[in-house]
Amino acid sequence: MLDGAALVANWQAFATCGAAEAGAAIKADGYGLGARDVLLRLAAAGCQTFYVAHWQEVPPLLPLPAGVTLSVLHGVTPDEMEAALALPAVPVLISAAQVALWRQTGRPCEAMVDTGMNRLGLAPETAADVLAGMDVAVLHSHLACTEDATHPMNAAQRVCFADVAARVPAHRYALANSAGAALGAAFHFDLIRPGIGLYGGGLLPDGRPAHTVARMVARVLQVRDVPVGASVGYGATFVAARPSRIATVALGYADGYARGLSNAGWALADGVRCPAAGRISMDLAAFDVTEAAGVAEGDWLEIPFDPEAMAQASGRTSYELLVALGQRFERLWQ
Ligand SMILES: *Cc1c(COP(=O)(O)O)cnc(C)c1O
């Protein structure tokens, strides 16, 4: 179950955190939630600028609503040129070779400059020469260390990007992801590119936790009484310390309910927190519903998907948990 109002509220927090426009990163199928639905909902709320990573992600998003632009963060390779020319999206060019390739089309582009992450992008020293004569709609860079607001790399990258922006003509400049937006207006330039914050991970620029967008709802297949000393699940890692009622639920790591949540996750039944009992397996998870007496076979259990709380419990990141949401879940928007 997906909360469209929470998604929009998260985006609005980015859109109003400063003077910069807020776009949206919707790569990896909208961080697992469904890129097409995310795009339509955010476009209806006023978002006009969307980012995916691959050209293969573009066709399922078509037709684009009026006024919306879509850009491809990995740029374009020779074998992708045909698709790129046929599709209504713009490459974010990441190398001099890509710029040379795209130059032949005479079309506008976006471009990425590397300001210290050493992952993708043009070298700051040569970017002006490489891009000379190109119509650059947006010049980007990307921050490496925004999870730590005090990391010296943040300021160093900002200074480097401001210097590049002063030398490389573009219609607009963009540096910040979700956590980068919280570093303050000096990091915003013209356009920010939030991703995780839209989907309920991390903090909004004003310091509040992002609104949780997703919750899992899964069916109770069986309820059983387990005596003291009996175990539950693979490896017998849960042993009942009291006479327990255990609900076995149709939810597993194939659905994105991470194995790291074994004996660490929780479900909610009538508001009662029911801890995961034993290992999460591929298709099944067990929850201790002793305190929620009403749970019966055939019931639907709610598993809140607060990405940061689950990240902490599972040892994975909120990003990994979201993009792993399984295809067996019907994505129902409310
Ligand atoms: C994925 C991505 C973002 C969004 O990052 P979040 O940390 O999810 O906000 C922004 N910019 C680029 C270049 C990205 O690849």
Side-chain angles (χ1 to χ4, degrees):
M1 298 286 221
L2 301 165
D3 183 341
L7 173 77
V8 167
N10 287 335
W11 179 75
Q12 273 160 349
F14 287 97
T16 58
C17 74
E21 182 194 329
I26 57 169
K27 60 199 184 189
D29 200 21
Y31 288 47
L33 303 189
R36 173 87 183 144
D37 284 306
V38 168
L39 182 148
L40 292 178
R41 280 162 194 278
L42 292 184
C47 183
Q48 297 185 308
T49 308
F50 293 87
Y51 289 90
V52 292
H54 293 259
W55 289 98
Q56 292 94 309
E57 296 180 281
V58 176
L61 298 174
L62 304 181
L64 297 177
V68 159
T69 67
L70 182 61
S71 309
V72 177
L73 289 164
H74 288 184
V76 64
T77 54
D79 55 307
E80 291 171 329
M81 279 297 274
E82 196 180 332
L85 288 169
L87 291 168
V90 181
V92 180
L93 305 173
I94 57 164
S95 69
Q98 287 198 356
V99 174
L101 188 65
W102 196 252
R103 188 183 285 283
Q104 298 162 20
T105 70
R107 295 195 189 185
C109 67
E110 299 183 22
M112 175 69 64
V113 177
D114 180 67
T115 52
M117 192 174 191
N118 282 307
R119 201 175 61 162
L120 296 178
L122 303 169
E125 307 79 38
T126 55
D129 288 341
V130 169
L131 289 169
M134 297 289 285
D135 182 6
V136 182
V138 186
L139 189 71
H140 297 270
S141 190
H142 192 48
L143 296 163
C145 300
T146 54
E147 277 165 25
D148 176 2
T150 66
H151 200 292
M153 188 122 170
N154 294 324
Q157 286 194 271
R158 189 192 69 74
V159 167
C160 179
F161 188 60
D163 173 63
V164 176
R167 292 184 289 106
V168 180
H171 297 281
R172 295 193 296 167
Y173 299 90
L175 176 64
N177 63 344
S178 300
L183 296 176
F187 287 81
H188 293 183
F189 294 85
D190 301 304
L191 169 69
I192 56 178
R193 302 180 307 261
I196 192 76
L198 306 175
Y199 309 108
L203 300 177
L204 297 172
D206 61 14
R208 287 176 302 156
H211 305 282
T212 298
V213 176
R215 62 199 165 89
M216 295 169 156
V217 181
R219 199 187 276 280
V220 176
L221 297 176
Q222 197 164 77
V223 179
R224 55 211 298 137
D225 291 306
V226 173
V228 174
S231 70
V232 175
Y234 285 123
T237 63
F238 173 89
V239 177
R242 57 174 181 178
S244 303
R245 258 176 101 66
I246 299 293
T248 304
V249 175
L251 172 72
Y253 57 77
D255 304 299
Y257 199 68
R259 198 164 172 281
L261 294 164
S262 299
N263 292 309
W266 63 93
L268 286 180
D270 296 331
V272 178
R273 189 176 160 115
C274 304
R279 277 202 197 140
I280 311 303
S281 48
M282 187 183 292
D283 312 306
L284 295 171
F287 294 93
D288 182 342
V289 298
T290 313
E291 311 284 341
V295 173
E297 286 169 16
D299 284 358
W300 293 87
L301 269 197
E302 178 172 333
I303 298 95
F305 202 71
D306 171 346
E308 296 307 334
M310 282 173 65
Q312 201 136 45
S314 67
R316 301 187 53 187
T317 66
S318 52
Y319 295 81
E320 292 171 275
L321 291 170
L322 281 164
V323 300
L325 263 178
Q327 287 308 313
R328 297 193 295 206
F329 272 115
E330 195 180 347
R331 276 117 170 113
L332 294 175
W333 288 87
Q334 298 177 312

